[in-house]
Amino acid sequence: MKIKIARYMSKTKETALEYEVDLSDVTLLEVLNEIKTKQDATLSYSSGCRSSICGSCSMRVNDREVLACAYKVQDGDFIEPMKNSAVIRDLVVDMDRAYEFNAKAKAWQNSIKKGLNLSEENQTINELQSDCILCGSCYSVCPVYAVNDEFLGPFALTRVWRYVSDKRENEPQSKIDTIQTNGVWDCTLCNECTLVCPQGISSKADIEKLRMRSMASGHSDPSFATSFQGASFDGSPSF
């Protein structure tokens, strides 16, 4: 079986190198380990739990984000690092910027309401979002970053919904206010983030729910308001 791997040294992209391994029905991580130990010790990549839990082995195969420890390699596959993050070396990227968006979006529990008992329904409403493993696949696939590198993104916004929907959260409005700029209204709802999430989390659906909460609290889509500037009440142009 032959695969190609994009090799990066610092910010310089080098010609993809082809490797041949005598393996079949194995994960990409197993192939990378085989190459590194027996063919090319300079190959760099990240891995951790080997159980699709830590998210550290995320990378792209044939233009699609995967976890190397879960993806079964096919002959002819092309492996490259995640997008929208600076490449440190080969398949290793710097995720610091992605994690910084969590801070900008206030994607954490501010304070907890005391003495509140959660119902079974309350406990399950954000259970799926709590399963996020911070792999950054949704961050990598998001097309909005091509035009707005300050976009909070699906990575952070789905985590905001995790806490906004938590009945114990004492300051949900502050989170809603924070995500109005470069946030919920900048998403194109393309659903690419949902398709690549290894945990089956739909950031698109979470963003739609955040939009509804935003409107309920008095916010609105700024582009919608702008589109009606210069129009009269009945929709005809005003001069």
Side-chain angles (χ1 to χ4, degrees), residues 31 90 98 113 116 131 142 144 151 191 198 216:
V31 170
D90 297 336
K113 294 179 181 178
L116 179 63
D131 291 337
C142 180
V144 180
F151 178 47
N191 205 41

Side-chain angles (χ1 to χ4, degrees), residues 144-164:
V144 180
Y145 289 109
V147 294
N148 182 8
D149 61 5
E150 292 299 319
F151 178 47
L152 294 175
F155 183 77
L157 291 173
T158 201
R159 294 175 67 79
V160 170
W161 174 251
R162 155 69 181 88
Y163 295 111
V164 165

